[in-house]
Amino acid sequence: MKVRSFMMVFAMLMLAGHTVKAQKGALDLGINVGYGFRSAPATIYSFTGNSVESISYSYGSGMIAGIQSHYMIGDHLGVFLNADYLMGVTSKVMSVGNNVTNTSKMSAMMVSATPGVILSANSSGKLNPYSEFGLLAGMASYTVTTTQTGLLAASGKHVNKYSGGMAVGWYAALGLQYALGSNFMLDAEVFGNNASYSPKTKENTQAYSGEQ
């Protein structure tokens, strides 16, 4: 079964600690923690009784955590590598028919690596603006879990997992560094990721009771 591609789009406020100030020859390490908000969500329709509800969702929304490293080639130019884990939020869709209500919950995860370049103002004061641009590659999957209620409803859960293939896309960020000391920096950053993903396999990991 072919599953259409989906887009992951999110922006995040990030705080990261660095061991050294951005300058030529500097190498720093940091930790990313934040939340991805959907900025260009897809739309799916939920049918309940005689009403139809349009639901916006994005497989890229959710908690994001990871590690990062930067190396400054010059005072204003550097390279970076981010490694992140996305734990997507759950979206719910309902449909009603033949005295049965189907409730499907969808969520995704992704482990990604993002190499790119840094443009830094390298200001002499405590505040230093910068920007980052990179390419994203990740291993992704998403799960659709369906339950039924009603007169003719099946018991248990029906779970399909879609996986395989690579998520690919781009990354862009704007940030501001604040010097906490001579060897430690705090970053506040907003960034956007846009990645597309086409899973290669569909696996039914759990069937309704009596259908195994």
Side-chain angles (χ1 to χ4, degrees):
M1 176 180 178
K2 185 176 181 180
V3 181
R4 69 179 179 87
S5 300
F6 66 81
M7 303 301 292
M8 294 182 182
V9 185
F10 47 91
M12 183 178 77
L13 175 66
M14 179 184 69
L15 298 179
H18 297 281
T19 55
V20 292
K21 184 178 179 180
Q23 56 187 351
K24 184 177 180 180
L27 174 66
D28 65 50
L29 301 174
I31 299 174
N32 309 330
V33 179
Y35 186 86
F37 298 94
R38 57 176 186 247
S39 58
T43 301
I44 195 168
Y45 296 96
S46 181
F47 300 86
T48 55
N50 296 322
S51 65
V52 179
E53 181 183 2
S54 176
I55 297 175
S56 296
Y57 72 97
S58 172
Y59 284 116
S61 299
M63 292 297 302
I64 305 167
I67 58 175
Q68 62 177 0
S69 62
H70 299 86
Y71 178 74
M72 298 304 296
I73 300 172
D75 288 336
H76 303 284
L77 178 66
V79 293
F80 72 89
L81 176 63
N82 290 350
D84 296 301
Y85 174 76
L86 164 70
M87 182 175 64
V89 298
T90 299
S91 299
K92 184 173 72 172
V93 179
M94 300 178 68
S95 63
V96 179
N98 298 322
N99 295 317
V100 174
T101 299
N102 295 281
T103 302
S104 296
K105 296 181 179 181
M106 308 173 296
S107 62
M109 61 78 62
M110 181 174 68
V111 177
S112 64
T114 307
V117 297
I118 311 164
L119 298 177
S120 173
N122 197 22
S123 302
S124 58
K126 284 184 173 294
L127 296 178
N128 178 52
Y130 67 93
S131 61
E132 297 178 341
F133 306 93
L135 298 176
L136 179 150
M139 298 173 58
S141 67
Y142 66 95
T143 302
V144 179
T145 302
T146 304
T147 57
Q148 294 185 342
T149 57
L151 183 62
L152 302 176
S155 60
K157 299 179 180 180
H158 189 273
V159 182
N160 285 333
K161 181 178 180 180
Y162 300 85
S163 60
M166 294 287 293
V168 294
W170 55 262
Y171 165 96
L174 291 174
L176 187 66
Q177 287 184 334
Y178 178 75
L180 296 177
S182 60
N183 294 316
F184 196 79
M185 306 291 294
L186 187 67
D187 288 4
E189 180 177 299
V190 177
F191 72 76
N193 275 352
N194 187 321
S196 59
Y197 172 60
S198 293
K200 300 298 184 182
T201 61
K202 171 189 174 183
E203 179 186 5
N204 177 238
T205 60
Q206 184 175 343
Y208 292 121
S209 299
E211 295 184 357
Q212 288 86 349

